[in-house]
Every structure is written in structure tokens, then in C-alpha cells.
Amino acid sequence: MCYWYGVITAHLPVLFGVGALAGVVSTVVSLASVVSYPALLALGLPALSANVTNTVALVFTAVGATAGSQRELTGQRGLVLRLGLLTALGGATGAVLLMVTPSGTFELIAPWLIAGASLILLLRPKAGRLAERSTGEHGRLLRLALFTVAVYTGYFGAAGGILTLAVLSAMIDLPLVRVNAVKNVIAGLANGVAAVGFALFGPVRWDAVLPLAAGFLVGGWIGPALVRRLPGEALRVIVAVCGVAVAVKLGIDAYG
């Protein structure tokens, strides 16, 4: 333990920088864990410890993004509360699954989920989206999909933001920059509930959480300002293309 404490202490500036970059990446293209999780592995943390440590620190991205997205979140309090409750329950379910089951199943299906969501986001027609308050079977299926994505976020999490954004873009008839702001908050709730469970029962490395979380907070706050400068179509294409690239990488890791 003393050895690993020394390793982490020697890399505090690196972890802060990784967190800041990952926070920006999270709010812009929903891929924070693709930056931060490998960095924790590179420092020698075991996979489970790196996963739960990353999830706990990632909560601060949502805090920073919420603070930096007040313009986009105006008038969406009720929507965020309704969907946030759903994702919080999903995140809690995913955290429990992570602690009691092996991660192999999700690692095998994650590339397909991420690739499918990315393609849906890329090819999604501008017309025909359902409002979040729709009560038909389609609306119920979309809520079930959002809950399932939140379970995935609490359990494994890689590119969970892309999955969340894809579902939300089908549910909410708003500009993508505003949908992205909602995604940052409700995905953060899924992460937050999972993080509480990991903090109590998981092998969290708190010496790594602190600098990483500080970076996430700064990056999450900066990210929304960058998103505002991207045209909606450009944002959609960038997120989708990055998602496909991550799916290919995860697929190679899982099946190679």
C-alpha cells in the first residue's frame, strides 16, 4: 500500500491533467473514461480498483458541467428530475451488479451497444423524434432503454454518455447542445449513486480520486463553453464518430 501511495503521489499533476482533459472530453464527446480509465491502469491499479476509482472521481465532471451549463438547463428542471430519478436507480443497479458479478458479459456486449448507439446518433433523422412526455409504447420503451443505459453506466461505463445521448436525442425534441446538457446531469446522477456504493464497499483509491476529481471538476466546467461553439450537426457527427472508434477499440480488446 505504501508503494502505491508513493506512485500516486508522484503523479498528482499528471492525474489532475488527465482529469481536466477527461472532463472536457466528457462534456463534449461523452468519452471521459476512455481518457481517465487507461491512465489509472497505466499507474498500476488493478482493473476493478481503477474502474471504481474512476467512477467516484467522475462525479465531479457532472458537478462542473452543471455549473457551466446553466444557460442550456434553463427551464428543464422538471425534465432533469424525472429522468434523473430513472438514471439514479439504473446506476445503483449497475453498481450492485459490478460488486457481485464478473465484468466479462458487459465487456463483450459493450462494443455492440456503443457502436449501435453511435450509428443511431449519426443517422438519426431530424424529424420524427418523440417528446419526453409521450405516453405511448414508444415512450415507455425509450424510458426502459434509458434505465438500461444507466445500469450499464453504473456497471462498466465506457462511453456510457454516448449511449445516454443517443437515447435522449430520441426522447427530447430540443437542440443537441441542450440535450447534451441534460445528458451531463442525469448521467452524472447514475455515476453518483454508483459512486456512493463503491465508496462504501469498493476498492476505491482515494489518493488517486482527489487529483483526478479536481481535474474532472475543472474540465467539466470548461466543456460546456466549447460545446456552445460547435454547430449542432458537427457535435452530433463528432460524438458519433468517436463512439464508433471506441466501439472498435473495445471490440478488439474483448474479442481479440
Side-chain angles (χ1 to χ4, degrees), residues 150-242:
V151 173
Y152 167 82
T153 299
Y155 185 97
F156 187 63
I162 288 178
L163 295 171
T164 305
L165 186 60
V167 175
L168 287 177
S169 69
M171 295 178 72
I172 307 171
D173 192 11
L174 289 172
L176 191 60
V177 64
R178 300 196 72 189
V179 177
N180 191 58
V182 174
K183 178 269 299 178
N184 288 333
V185 178
I186 67 170
L189 288 172
N191 271 322
V193 173
V196 171
F198 296 154
L200 293 175
F201 305 109
V204 177
R205 289 296 309 274
W206 292 103
D207 50 337
V209 165
L210 296 178
L212 197 60
F216 276 143
L217 182 65
V218 173
W221 179 71
I222 293 173
L226 299 178
V227 170
R228 290 187 195 110
R229 289 166 172 75
L230 288 173
E233 286 301 297
L235 177 62
R236 182 170 60 86
V237 171
I238 290 170
V239 172
V241 170
C242 288

Side-chain angles (χ1 to χ4, degrees), residues 35-246:
V35 176
S36 53
Y37 178 68
L40 292 172
L41 292 177
L43 290 178
L45 271 68
L48 178 59
S49 181
N51 190 5
V52 298
T53 298
N54 184 64
T55 298
V56 172
L58 193 58
V59 172
F60 289 85
T61 297
V63 175
T66 301
S69 299
Q70 292 303 303
R71 184 189 311 176
E72 290 77 17
L73 292 171
T74 299
Q76 300 198 73
R77 178 184 176 129
L79 172 66
V80 168
L81 289 176
R82 287 192 299 275
L83 298 184
L85 176 61
L86 189 63
T87 57
L89 291 173
T93 303
V96 171
L97 287 174
L98 178 65
M99 300 306 295
V100 300
T101 64
S103 61
T105 301
F106 266 93
E107 289 174 357
L108 290 174
I109 68 172
W112 301 101
L113 288 172
I114 295 166
S118 300
L119 291 175
I120 289 171
L121 193 61
L122 185 63
L123 302 174
R124 172 184 58 83
K126 294 181 181 180
R129 287 180 294 170
L130 295 180
E132 186 274 333
R133 295 181 183 178
S134 62
T135 58
E137 182 179 357
H138 196 175
R140 289 191 292 272
L141 287 175
L142 287 172
R143 285 176 175 79
L144 177 60
L146 187 63
F147 175 80
T148 303
V149 169
V151 173
Y152 167 82
T153 299
Y155 185 97
F156 187 63
I162 288 178
L163 295 171
T164 305
L165 186 60
V167 175
L168 287 177
S169 69
M171 295 178 72
I172 307 171
D173 192 11
L174 289 172
L176 191 60
V177 64
R178 300 196 72 189
V179 177
N180 191 58
V182 174
K183 178 269 299 178
N184 288 333
V185 178
I186 67 170
L189 288 172
N191 271 322
V193 173
V196 171
F198 296 154
L200 293 175
F201 305 109
V204 177
R205 289 296 309 274
W206 292 103
D207 50 337
V209 165
L210 296 178
L212 197 60
F216 276 143
L217 182 65
V218 173
W221 179 71
I222 293 173
L226 299 178
V227 170
R228 290 187 195 110
R229 289 166 172 75
L230 288 173
E233 286 301 297
L235 177 62
R236 182 170 60 86
V237 171
I238 290 170
V239 172
V241 170
C242 288
V244 171
V246 171

Side-chain angles (χ1 to χ4, degrees), residues 1-13 15 43-46 49 204-211:
M1 179 65 180
C2 291
Y3 169 75
W4 290 119
Y5 180 82
V7 170
I8 297 299
T9 302
H11 290 87
L12 292 181
L15 283 171
L43 290 178
L45 271 68
S49 181
V204 177
R205 289 296 309 274
W206 292 103
D207 50 337
V209 165
L210 296 178

